[in-house]
Amino acid sequence: MAGNSSLVGSGDLQAWSNFDSILNFIQVLIAVFLAINVFQLVALFSKEQFTSCTRYILFGNMLLNDCWFLLVSNLLFLLYSFGVAIDLWLCMLIYFFLAISNMATACTLTAMTLERYVAVCVPLRHADLCSGRRALGAVALIGAVSSVPCVVFFAAILPSVIRGDFAEELRCSIQNLEAYPWHNYLRSVMFFLYFMAMGGVIVFCYVRIMKAADAASAGDRAASRKGLGTVSLHSFQLLLCLLYLLLPTVEKAIEDWKNALFRYIRTFNYVVLILSPRCLSPLVYGLRDEMFFKVLKSYVLCGRAWQERRLVRCHGRRRSWLSKT
């Protein structure tokens, strides 16, 4: 028996060691994408041509939202993975704003798709419909629309929480906040209806842009095809956000499985369905947009030139010091 228990202990230790390596890799991944997002935000706010254009205002709003979501979701993921308990009221508050952030990403993707539809299919009205003032109104509308299902859901679970101990400590997850099965059904139905409506808008825009691309002349066809590719990537991002809704139900069903296996499945879901949509944003707009990519490239080249000048000055000082000695 002693040999078996030592063997099991060795296996658990190896499993934890592997899991720690995965967590470390995830932290590096998040740090890299946060750095990329912050770098792009600096580039966005440094040019007036970006701060007055609807396309880039929406992109900046999504970058800010993604940075917030990555930081908070990663914190909750680490707390849950290491079994750290927090107060129930704090868990509810964090998840409330996290749910709004997730919805805001999907709503922003839909708004950006509509902007591409107007630019390709109604180019003569693009300047009027997508002005900077309208873009700020769209950002406010995105926040309001994103809040509605979250307010309804948390208002539904609040009475059951109040009947319990509001200061109770627990491992923070959405499953632990849902006191009754109908809470999960309510949340899933509301968010699913939202995402279906957004998916319908994106499909409509995709079909209309595709028709415009087929009917366009050779000169305009390239721009239409590029808009079509952007909408396709937005569709993929929205699909990942939609699959995110299935996480609590799937994880609730497998929660009683072997502990190590559940940790790996939860980590896989976190990387594929939570991190991936947020990491796609820089690739969709940051690198595919020609004007924005030129600005990013100029910043990188300026940084490299500054480093080279600094090294030259350091070498010059060193040679001067050696000659004096």
Side-chain angles (χ1 to χ4, degrees):
M1 293 292 290
N4 289 340
S5 61
S6 66
L7 185 62
V8 172
S10 175
D12 289 342
L13 185 63
Q14 180 64 31
W16 270 110
S17 177
N18 294 336
F19 187 67
D20 285 344
S21 300
I22 294 173
L23 286 181
N24 291 333
F25 172 75
I26 291 175
Q27 300 314 301
V28 172
L29 192 67
I30 290 174
V32 169
F33 279 104
L34 277 175
I36 293 174
N37 285 1
V38 170
F39 177 62
Q40 293 190 93
L41 281 170
V42 171
L44 271 175
F45 289 117
S46 65
K47 299 291 184 181
E48 187 178 352
Q49 58 184 340
F50 295 144
T51 56
S52 60
C53 179
T54 299
R55 183 178 187 181
Y56 300 108
I57 291 175
L58 292 175
F59 177 50
N61 179 60
M62 187 164 66
L63 284 177
L64 286 171
N65 185 64
D66 287 348
C67 288
W68 152 260
F69 191 91
L70 284 173
L71 286 171
V72 178
S73 64
N74 183 55
L75 175 62
L76 285 181
F77 176 72
L78 290 176
L79 290 176
Y80 189 90
S81 297
F82 290 107
V84 178
I86 63 175
D87 290 342
L88 177 59
W89 68 268
L90 181 59
C91 180
M92 283 193 65
L93 187 64
I94 293 174
Y95 257 105
F96 175 73
F97 288 107
L98 201 63
I100 293 177
S101 178
N102 183 56
M103 285 296 303
T105 294
C107 290
T108 306
L109 286 172
T110 307
M112 293 169 79
T113 301
L114 285 171
E115 188 275 333
R116 285 295 84 199
Y117 162 73
V118 174
V120 174
C121 299
V122 199
L124 297 180
R125 299 199 59 192
H126 182 263
D128 180 47
L129 294 175
C130 299
S131 62
R133 184 176 299 178
R134 288 179 183 270
L136 295 177
V139 170
L141 182 62
I142 286 171
V145 172
S146 304
S147 303
V148 172
C150 306
V151 170
V152 172
F153 172 71
F154 280 91
I157 67 173
L158 189 60
S160 61
V161 172
I162 293 177
R163 283 195 292 267
D165 186 1
F166 205 60
E168 174 191 359
E169 290 190 346
L170 77 165
R171 293 177 72 180
C172 189
S173 69
I174 195 67
Q175 297 94 323
N176 292 335
L177 294 178
E178 295 171 347
Y180 304 105
W182 67 268
H183 288 160
N184 178 266
Y185 299 144
L186 173 65
R187 184 183 60 83
S188 298
V189 168
M190 285 193 306
F191 286 102
F192 183 76
L193 290 176
Y194 257 68
F195 279 99
M196 287 300 293
M198 296 173 196
V201 171
I202 288 182
V203 169
F204 168 79
C205 293
Y206 182 89
V207 172
R208 294 300 300 268
I209 293 176
M210 185 169 60
K211 290 182 178 179
D214 292 337
S217 60
D220 297 331
R221 192 166 298 170
S224 299
R225 292 293 181 186
K226 190 170 183 178
L228 202 60
T230 301
V231 173
S232 300
L233 289 170
H234 286 337
S235 302
F236 180 66
Q237 285 179 280
L238 190 65
L239 175 62
L240 292 178
C241 291
L242 179 61
L243 292 175
Y244 171 76
L245 297 178
L246 303 176
L247 279 185
T249 305
V250 173
E251 291 179 355
K252 188 73 173 178
I254 64 176
E255 198 171 11
D256 296 330
W257 288 17
K258 186 179 177 182
N259 191 32
L261 181 60
F262 176 70
R263 284 200 307 269
Y264 285 121
I265 293 176
R266 186 179 178 88
T267 303
F268 175 82
N269 291 338
Y270 176 70
V271 172
V272 174
L273 301 181
I274 296 180
L275 292 187
S276 296
R278 276 79 199 174
C279 296
L280 278 173
S281 301
L283 300 178
V284 174
Y285 264 67
L287 300 181
R288 295 182 74 251
D289 186 275
E290 291 182 7
M291 184 165 62
F292 189 60
F293 181 74
K294 288 180 181 178
V295 174
L296 292 177
K297 187 177 179 181
S298 67
Y299 271 90
V300 172
L301 293 177
C302 286
R304 186 182 301 173
W306 180 80
Q307 288 288 348
E308 290 176 353
R309 287 196 299 268
R310 185 181 178 188
L311 288 174
V312 169
R313 286 198 299 268
C314 289
H315 286 306
R317 291 170 185 169
R318 185 180 179 187
R319 285 195 299 269
S320 176
W321 180 79
L322 288 175
S323 64
K324 289 179 181 179
T325 57

